[in-house]
Amino acid sequence: MSFLKVSHPIATSANSPYAAIANEEKRVYAMQFHPEVQHSEEGYLMLRNFARNICGVTEKWKMEHFLKEQIKMIREKVGTGKVLCGLSGGVDSSVVAAMLYEAIGDQLIPVFVDNGLLRKGEREQVQEVFKINLKAPLVTVDAVDNFLGKLEGVCDPEEKRKIIGHTFIEEFEKEAKKHDGIKFLAQGTLYPDVIESISVNGPSEVIKSHHNVGGLPDWMDFELIEPLRELFKDEVRKIGLELGLPSDMINRHPFPGPGLAIRIMGDVNVPDLTILREADVILLDELKASGYYAKTWQAFAVLLNVKSVGVMGDNRTYDNTVCVRVVEAVDGMTATFAHLPHDLLERISRRIINEVDGINRVVYDISSKPPATIEWE
């Protein structure tokens, strides 16, 4: 193809982050700009115009069509077999479980694995929510000792993720042996997980491994079912509403599969998990009380394992630092830090320092994605 003439450059400065070329006659357009990555106010409009006005795509497809197609495909694939669904209590796995129950009913065996890396009270919350909103009986597996034993002394984040992923698979296999006819394993894998975990046909690098990406080990005689693998989080929430799941369940903030293990810098141990849980619940309580939980994408605390000198009363302290991370996003591929009111940040900091033993300093993460990721590890 011949060289395309620059017809309407968006900017001409040598420091401009974008440039454009066009050939109106051939209807060929190109842009050195990523509207979905750089936080452009017009990014969505640019992508929409390209799809509709240049590619001629019509807006006939709806999420309800996707849901019907997936339910039909699941029924055809599963047949008379049974499906073990790994349930975390988060949005993704809950939506998968609801889809599977709609498709195959009692052939679904939902399994919730308590890995010891959950937030405060999460096991009880998951059991209660599942009992009320989903009809299939939930199997709960206590695997705390197994996970924490394998993570002992492990500091590298990639190694943590891989250990947790492998241990989940082992626990699912153990549970599957207790039931006859299980031929499939279902997971709530999303497209952002795939993008960050796998370099697909290009120069992009693996950002970080996700425990539910990469297939199953050769020794496992299961087929994977991942109906959400090509969707983003906002699309999954729409499917959840289509399935009749309650909005408070669907609009929960994302929680990573590796749990609190990737929110503790360094070794994962019971004392640090206890400290982090207490700090995290204070953060979420204050966000919900102020109305900012519903306005933000994700919020959590990170235990930095960096100590500093402080003063508590008349005493010198040398305690840990917690980082508060709150971001705004649409699909999780990009994010900006939330501009929380100073009085809210002050209240969060004061409560964490006063109420959580072992913490004397709170910092706020003002990094965006990119260049940072949402999670720290």
Side-chain angles (χ1 to χ4, degrees), residues 268-296:
V268 179
N269 55 72
V270 172
D272 282 357
L273 285 166
T274 301
I275 290 174
L276 183 56
R277 286 190 181 103
E278 296 299 328
D280 194 71
V281 77
I282 290 172
L283 167 62
L284 296 181
D285 283 349
E286 288 296 333
L287 287 176
K288 289 174 182 177
S290 65
Y292 272 89
Y293 183 89
K295 298 177 184 178
T296 52

Side-chain angles (χ1 to χ4, degrees), residues 229-376:
R229 190 180 176 89
E230 296 181 356
L231 299 185
F232 292 93
K233 180 76 74 173
D234 56 322
E235 296 172 316
V236 173
R237 289 192 166 113
K238 291 177 183 177
I239 288 181
L241 294 175
E242 286 283 342
L243 286 163
L245 297 177
S247 59
D248 58 341
M249 179 181 184
I250 292 303
N251 293 316
R252 286 188 71 194
H253 282 189
F255 186 64
L260 299 181
I262 56 170
R263 294 178 180 175
I264 293 176
M265 302 297 100
D267 178 38
V268 179
N269 55 72
V270 172
D272 282 357
L273 285 166
T274 301
I275 290 174
L276 183 56
R277 286 190 181 103
E278 296 299 328
D280 194 71
V281 77
I282 290 172
L283 167 62
L284 296 181
D285 283 349
E286 288 296 333
L287 287 176
K288 289 174 182 177
S290 65
Y292 272 89
Y293 183 89
K295 298 177 184 178
T296 52
W297 168 268
Q298 194 169 359
F300 54 92
V302 182
L303 188 64
L304 301 186
N305 272 315
V306 172
K307 291 189 175 182
S308 64
V309 174
V311 179
M312 300 289 282
D314 294 326
N315 298 319
R316 175 188 186 273
T317 62
Y318 189 60
D319 284 330
N320 224 316
T321 303
V322 157
C323 175
V324 169
R325 176 78 157 146
V326 186
V327 299
E328 298 173 355
V330 174
D331 54 22
M333 290 300 295
T334 63
T336 56
F337 69 90
H339 292 69
L340 299 181
H342 288 181
D343 61 338
L344 174 57
L345 288 172
E346 183 179 7
R347 193 158 60 248
I348 291 168
S349 174
R350 184 174 61 249
R351 281 197 60 196
I352 290 175
I353 292 172
N354 289 340
E355 297 177 29
V356 184
D357 290 338
I359 297 175
N360 68 357
R361 193 176 298 267
V362 175
V363 298
Y364 189 55
D365 185 344
I366 58 170
S367 314
S368 292
K369 176 186 179 180
T373 56
I374 295 177
E375 295 287 347
W376 271 52

Side-chain angles (χ1 to χ4, degrees), residues 93-324:
S93 62
S94 296
V95 169
V96 169
M99 286 177 67
L100 287 164
Y101 191 80
E102 185 78 15
I104 60 173
D106 294 339
Q107 293 167 250
L108 168 67
I109 299 174
V111 177
F112 171 64
V113 175
D114 183 351
N115 58 8
L117 306 169
L118 303 172
R119 290 169 290 196
K120 187 175 181 178
E122 189 144 28
R123 174 170 173 166
E124 295 76 15
Q125 183 182 18
V126 169
Q127 291 171 326
E128 183 65 19
V129 167
F130 198 87
K131 181 180 178 180
I132 294 172
N133 297 289
L134 296 168
K135 299 173 184 177
L138 178 65
V139 177
T140 301
V141 176
D142 188 334
V144 174
D145 292 342
N146 191 18
F147 277 87
L148 296 187
K150 291 184 177 181
L151 287 169
E152 186 175 356
V154 177
C155 297
D156 180 77
E158 276 295 283
E159 192 176 352
K160 286 182 188 178
R161 286 176 172 272
K162 289 175 181 177
I163 288 171
I164 292 167
H166 292 156
T167 309
F168 266 123
I169 294 296
E170 290 174 5
E171 292 296 335
F172 290 145
E173 193 205 20
K174 285 183 202 172
E175 186 59 35
K177 289 179 178 178
K178 300 176 184 177
H179 307 269
D180 294 328
I182 294 182
K183 299 179 180 178
F184 303 91
L185 176 65
Q187 299 183 145
T189 307
L190 301 190
Y191 193 49
D193 301 339
V194 178
I195 292 172
E196 289 189 334
S197 298
I198 302 173
S199 179
V200 183
N201 298 329
S204 62
E205 294 186 7
V206 173
I207 306 301
K208 56 190 177 185
S209 300
H210 286 263
H211 76 288
N212 54 352
V213 178
L216 297 173
D218 294 336
W219 48 266
M220 285 199 77
D221 191 23
F222 294 136
E223 288 186 55
L224 270 179
I225 294 179
E226 298 174 311
L228 310 179
R229 190 180 176 89
E230 296 181 356
L231 299 185
F232 292 93
K233 180 76 74 173
D234 56 322
E235 296 172 316
V236 173
R237 289 192 166 113
K238 291 177 183 177
I239 288 181
L241 294 175
E242 286 283 342
L243 286 163
L245 297 177
S247 59
D248 58 341
M249 179 181 184
I250 292 303
N251 293 316
R252 286 188 71 194
H253 282 189
F255 186 64
L260 299 181
I262 56 170
R263 294 178 180 175
I264 293 176
M265 302 297 100
D267 178 38
V268 179
N269 55 72
V270 172
D272 282 357
L273 285 166
T274 301
I275 290 174
L276 183 56
R277 286 190 181 103
E278 296 299 328
D280 194 71
V281 77
I282 290 172
L283 167 62
L284 296 181
D285 283 349
E286 288 296 333
L287 287 176
K288 289 174 182 177
S290 65
Y292 272 89
Y293 183 89
K295 298 177 184 178
T296 52
W297 168 268
Q298 194 169 359
F300 54 92
V302 182
L303 188 64
L304 301 186
N305 272 315
V306 172
K307 291 189 175 182
S308 64
V309 174
V311 179
M312 300 289 282
D314 294 326
N315 298 319
R316 175 188 186 273
T317 62
Y318 189 60
D319 284 330
N320 224 316
T321 303
V322 157
C323 175
V324 169

Side-chain angles (χ1 to χ4, degrees), residues 60-75:
K60 293 181 179 179
W61 187 89
K62 295 182 179 179
M63 198 56 67
E64 62 186 88
H65 299 153
F66 174 87
L67 179 57
K68 289 179 181 178
E69 290 171 1
Q70 288 298 315
I71 288 174
K72 181 182 177 182
M73 289 172 60
I74 290 169
R75 284 175 180 157

